Amino acid sequence: MTGAEPLEHYLDARRADVETALRAWLPGPPQAPAVVATAMRYSIEAGGKRLRPILCLAAAESVGATKGLSAADAREVAMSAACAIEMIHTYSLVHDDLPAMDDDILRRGKPTLHVVAGEGMAILAGDGLLTEAFGLLTRTTGTAGASPDRRLRAIAVVATAAGACGMVGGQALDLDAMPRPGVPAGAPLDADGLRRMHALKTGALITASAVVGAIMAGGDAATEHAIRQAGEHFGLAFQIVDDILDVEGTTAGLGKTAGKDAAAGKPTYPAIFGIEESRRLARRCITDAEAALEGAGLHHSRLAGIGRWIVERVN
Ligand code: GRG
């Protein structure tokens, strides 16, 4: 249930919970050499909306409510997974910003990690975040602790979403669509190609965030299916809005370089459909997500509000 707490308060509270847990779970000296631990912390603590972990916690709450779990217990049981996903997301940003990929100097309002720590250390910090994430996924958190079977399923879902069948695959399609030194570009992406690339690159981890929250909170197969459908719609809406913000946002407001996609001639939703149609498509994704949630009796949960946040966000 959403209760009376306004969405903004809920988001702020969950962001604070996630950041406290991340601080506690990130490795530090003396076990981890300070140089790489500091680099990992730099990118995690640079901020960000924490959309994925919040989505994971909200999915756990909504499913947990159907299993008699309090909202706080459901969040606790999903917290390690939520933080693991944020670590994987942050690694993807660190690697995406490298000169060999998107070559950017600003992320989350701060100089990118390779700018402050060098390319080699940025690669290692990304590797460290990815690896730590899977260690974290094995941990039980909360008094209601997810069973080993559920934790194993969560690991499989996250691995598929982050690997070559998900985020890495999508990034490869994105990279291949543009010419790069010594390698000709692959075929340009049309609307279907763009949708698939984004479904893998951005959508898969967003979807997994919601699915893993449902798994950790004890969801059955039908509920997990509905959450997956809603997560896929959320993921596409997120990406369409990201493309719109790249056109309409400012570098200061976004905390990353605005207008890069257009400058690079990248295929984007506004480039293919125009801004107004892109906005309509994003809104339709949220309507579709709400229908999927309604089918599973989860439409009164926080998830619907998070859908609206995804389309209304300004950064
Ligand atoms: C897997 C090697 C490898 C690389 C990274 C997904 C990816 C692949 C890179 C991300 C590239 C990118 C900027 C995509 C656009 C959508 C996106 C993921 C935006 C950033 O996510 P937000 O807005 O960021 O949730 P914050 O900083 O708020 O967490």
Side-chain angles (χ1 to χ4, degrees), residues 48-49 52 89 91-92 96 108 167 171 201 238 242:
K49 293 177 289 297
R52 294 152 192 80
H89 167 60
Y91 123 76
S92 82
D96 183 65
R108 293 177 161 172
M167 188 172 73
Q171 178 79 350
K201 183 175 114 168
F238 176 88
D242 211 71

Side-chain angles (χ1 to χ4, degrees), residues 1-310:
M1 293 295 287
T2 56
E5 189 185 13
L7 181 67
E8 276 311 315
H9 293 187
Y10 177 84
L11 297 176
D12 287 346
R14 297 298 74 81
R15 211 171 275 131
D17 294 344
V18 165
E19 289 174 359
T20 301
L22 279 168
R23 269 195 297 276
W25 282 329
L26 277 171
Q31 292 87 351
V35 66
V36 72
T38 305
M40 290 161 72
R41 235 163 242 276
Y42 175 85
S43 290
I44 287 279
E45 293 185 356
K49 293 177 289 297
R50 315 299 191 195
L51 162 70
R52 294 152 192 80
I54 292 174
L55 186 54
C56 179
L57 299 177
E61 275 183 39
S62 66
V63 172
T66 68
K67 304 277 166 193
L69 274 184
S70 72
D73 283 347
R75 290 198 299 267
E76 249 191 274
V77 84
M79 188 56 92
S80 54
C83 289
I85 289 170
E86 181 65 16
M87 286 184 189
I88 294 173
H89 167 60
T90 303
Y91 123 76
S92 82
L93 300 180
V94 169
H95 281 197
D96 183 65
D97 290 331
L98 287 167
M101 299 247 185
D102 218 26
D103 192 10
D104 217 324
I105 57 165
L106 190 69
R107 172 69 64 183
R108 293 177 161 172
K110 296 212 165 124
T112 45
L113 185 55
H114 66 271
V115 169
V116 298
E119 273 183 59
M121 199 53 66
I123 292 170
L124 289 174
D127 294 342
L129 287 169
L130 175 62
T131 314
E132 283 300 320
F134 283 95
L136 192 48
L137 275 165
T138 66
R139 289 199 205 177
T140 319
T141 46
T143 44
S147 66
D149 173 56
R150 287 192 176 273
R151 277 180 279 134
L152 269 181
R153 289 206 7 252
I155 291 168
V157 167
V158 174
T160 303
C165 301
M167 188 172 73
V168 167
Q171 178 79 350
L173 291 176
D174 194 14
L175 204 61
D176 190 50
M178 302 299 290
R180 51 206 188 280
V183 187
L189 295 173
D190 59 9
D192 285 345
L194 181 69
R195 193 185 166 106
R196 174 160 183 259
M197 184 271 284
H198 285 317
L200 297 178
K201 183 175 114 168
T202 315
L205 197 62
I206 291 178
T207 304
S209 306
V211 171
V212 163
I215 291 174
M216 293 304 222
D220 59 21
T223 309
E224 202 183 305
H225 178 70
I227 293 266
R228 176 172 289 280
Q229 282 185 312
E232 286 172 359
H233 295 306
F234 284 164
L236 181 56
F238 176 88
Q239 186 57 58
I240 297 172
V241 172
D242 211 71
D243 283 357
I244 295 172
L245 288 174
D246 186 67
V247 176
E248 295 196 328
T250 61
T251 298
L254 297 175
K256 61 182 179 182
T257 313
K260 273 201 90 178
D261 293 345
K266 278 197 172 187
T268 63
Y269 278 88
I272 293 181
F273 296 102
I275 290 278
E276 280 319 308
E277 178 63 5
S278 298
R279 266 195 237 290
R280 202 189 61 75
L281 286 171
R283 281 195 298 268
R284 205 180 71 197
C285 289
I286 298 309
T287 313
D288 291 345
E290 284 169 357
L293 293 173
E294 188 160 10
L298 300 173
H299 50 300
H300 293 305
S301 70
R302 276 288 172 203
L303 290 171
I306 289 178
R308 287 193 294 279
W309 173 43
I310 287 172

